[in-house]
Amino acid sequence: MASILREKILGPSVWKGIDLVKNDSWIYYLSAKAITSLENALIQVKQKGLKAPDFTKDDFPIPELTDEIAYFVKELENGKGFLLIRGLPIERYTDEEASIVFWGLGLHMGMPVTQNAKGDLLGHVIDQGLDINDSNVRGYQTKAHLPFHPDGSDVVGLLSLRKAKSGGFSSIVSSMAVYNEILEKYPEYLGILYRPYYLDRRGEESPGESPVYSSPVFSFYKGKLSCRYNRGYVESAQAKTGINLSKVEMEAYDLIDSLLHDENMHFNMMLEPGDMQFVNNYTVLHSRTVYEDYEEPERKRHLLRLWLTIPNGREIAPDFAMFIDEHTGKAGRGGIPVREKTAGGIAENIR
């Protein structure tokens, strides 16, 4: 078993939602210079006849934003663990142009990795009329409430194209602050949360591969604490394996849920059109409230999604990884291994 951290986490990654309400210093507002730089790069990509995600960082030059990019990745790994970037004038762009800007910015922040077994690198978060209770359906394909969870990479980024008719708030919570609460008030449960549990692959496995993988909730490795908590995936894994949580394990999970849903701990934000949210999946858990959508397809809630491996990202423990990288033998820090190739082999080429 991995070593258990018995000291509180210190620093900016420990925050509470009640503190974020008090000021908006955590919002990064794009300057006119930054917007001009992004739009100049957009023009260059369009002049080459390219579209997202089939262009590279060199095709989208934004040298004026070097300092901003450095700040973004530093804040994600060593700061609060999340960013809200506001001010992109989304009304100026078509959806395709917006995707070029978002993909281009993401390329400068890190390396996009695949979000599903089909190799999608630029995801679309939009209700497809599917049922979240189907264990082979993933939450982004529905309009259901999504419990707190991380995604399968160092960082997840979202760009809001359109918001719902009502609802669809994005909720975030510092899993580092949750850890401190458990350490201070309920330390007897810590050991349980360092044990590996089965999580559902939700139909993303290849033929013959196990439909589940194992990971602890908390992992302390090389001086950094990481969290992977996804109760929904643990519960659907139980149905596939027949291995259920014990009474004390259920108590530990119930404890985490009570902390995640504490009004003082989490923070709800509405991603307005043009907002870009980036979240460190190891230090922040995210959620989404249920939403009501418009009937017209062109008005439906629609977000673009990136999964990024960032250059300053932590190394994670082998028992915490979703997979072991076949090239390096190290714990894979991002992406779902591709089982089916997308058209043009985009996923294969970029990886």
Side-chain angles (χ1 to χ4, degrees):
M1 183 180 291
S3 60
I4 298 176
L5 179 64
R6 299 287 183 181
E7 299 174 0
K8 279 193 170 185
I9 301 294
L10 303 175
S13 67
V14 179
W15 48 264
K16 294 185 177 181
I18 194 171
D19 299 322
L20 301 183
V21 175
K22 296 173 183 175
N23 64 71
D24 65 357
S25 61
W26 45 272
I27 303 177
Y28 183 89
Y29 292 91
L30 288 172
S31 65
K33 181 195 82 167
I35 293 168
T36 298
S37 180
L38 292 169
E39 291 184 342
N40 287 339
L42 166 63
I43 291 169
Q44 292 195 45
V45 170
K46 291 183 67 178
Q47 287 175 340
K48 293 180 179 180
L50 300 173
K51 299 179 181 180
D54 34 340
F55 63 85
T56 68
K57 182 165 65 173
D58 292 338
D59 295 316
F60 192 88
I62 46 174
E64 302 87 353
L65 300 187
T66 300
D67 290 345
E68 285 88 343
I69 299 295
Y71 167 75
F72 294 160
V73 296
K74 180 180 179 182
E75 184 68 9
L76 286 167
E77 179 59 28
N78 299 310
K80 286 186 176 68
F82 76 94
L83 292 166
L84 183 70
I85 303 173
R86 178 161 283 171
L88 188 69
I90 197 81
E91 68 280 355
R92 295 184 195 173
Y93 316 131
T94 64
D95 286 1
E96 185 176 294
E97 289 170 337
S99 71
I100 289 172
V101 172
F102 186 50
W103 174 258
L105 178 62
L107 288 172
H108 286 270
M109 291 174 61
M111 184 182 76
V113 293
T114 47
Q115 302 177 27
N116 54 31
K118 294 181 179 179
D120 289 344
L121 291 161
L122 184 62
H124 294 268
V125 181
I126 190 166
D127 178 35
Q128 299 175 25
L130 300 177
D131 184 359
I132 190 67
N133 294 311
D134 181 338
S135 66
N136 290 328
V137 168
R138 287 172 56 191
Y140 69 88
Q141 300 169 312
T142 78
K143 60 183 177 183
H145 161 69
L146 301 183
F148 282 101
H149 65 281
D151 281 4
S153 58
D154 289 352
V155 165
V156 56
L158 295 170
L159 166 62
S160 174
L161 297 176
R162 285 172 289 282
K163 61 182 184 178
K165 184 177 181 180
S166 64
F169 283 87
S170 173
S171 303
I172 57 172
V173 65
S174 165
S175 50
M176 303 296 97
V178 169
Y179 188 86
N180 283 354
E181 290 288 312
I182 297 172
L183 177 62
E184 179 182 353
K185 300 174 183 175
Y186 312 96
E188 64 273 19
Y189 287 107
L190 276 184
I192 294 169
L193 297 171
Y194 276 81
R195 296 177 188 169
Y197 294 92
Y198 287 118
L199 291 100
D200 195 352
R201 292 191 187 274
R202 306 293 286 195
E204 301 284 7
E205 67 274 7
S206 60
E209 185 181 21
S210 171
V212 299
Y213 69 99
S214 65
S215 171
V217 174
F218 291 113
S219 173
F220 184 61
Y221 188 68
K222 296 194 174 180
K224 290 203 171 185
L225 181 73
S226 299
C227 175
R228 177 178 289 121
Y229 181 77
N230 192 332
R231 187 163 189 167
Y233 280 26
V234 168
E235 290 177 347
S236 59
Q238 292 179 68
K240 292 183 176 181
T241 63
I243 301 171
N244 295 323
L245 296 179
S246 67
K247 181 175 181 292
V248 70
E249 289 169 339
M250 290 279 285
E251 290 174 0
Y253 274 60
D254 288 344
L255 167 61
I256 291 182
D257 281 344
S258 70
L259 293 169
L260 296 178
H261 293 103
D262 184 324
E263 293 294 334
N264 293 322
M265 295 293 288
H266 69 252
F267 182 73
N268 297 334
M269 68 177 81
M270 176 57 71
L271 297 182
E272 299 292 341
D275 283 355
M276 291 180 280
Q277 181 198 72
F278 292 90
V279 169
N280 184 320
N281 285 306
Y282 307 128
T283 65
V284 176
L285 298 171
H286 61 276
S287 169
R288 184 194 69 207
T289 66
V290 65
Y291 64 89
E292 179 187 359
D293 226 338
Y294 292 98
E295 292 295 329
E296 305 92 326
E298 68 276 6
R299 298 180 71 192
K300 286 186 177 295
R301 183 183 189 270
H302 191 176
L303 287 77
L304 299 178
R305 185 176 68 180
L306 286 174
W307 281 8
L308 298 174
T309 297
I310 55 175
N312 60 337
R314 67 193 60 198
E315 191 174 341
I316 61 175
D319 71 342
F320 188 73
M322 293 174 65
F323 66 96
I324 301 299
D325 191 293
E326 60 187 34
H327 301 297
T328 65
K330 291 187 176 182
R333 280 180 23 225
I336 293 173
V338 179
R339 310 305 185 200
E340 310 164 39
K341 293 295 185 287
T342 53
I346 293 169
E348 185 176 30
N349 290 339
I350 198 163
R351 290 192 69 168

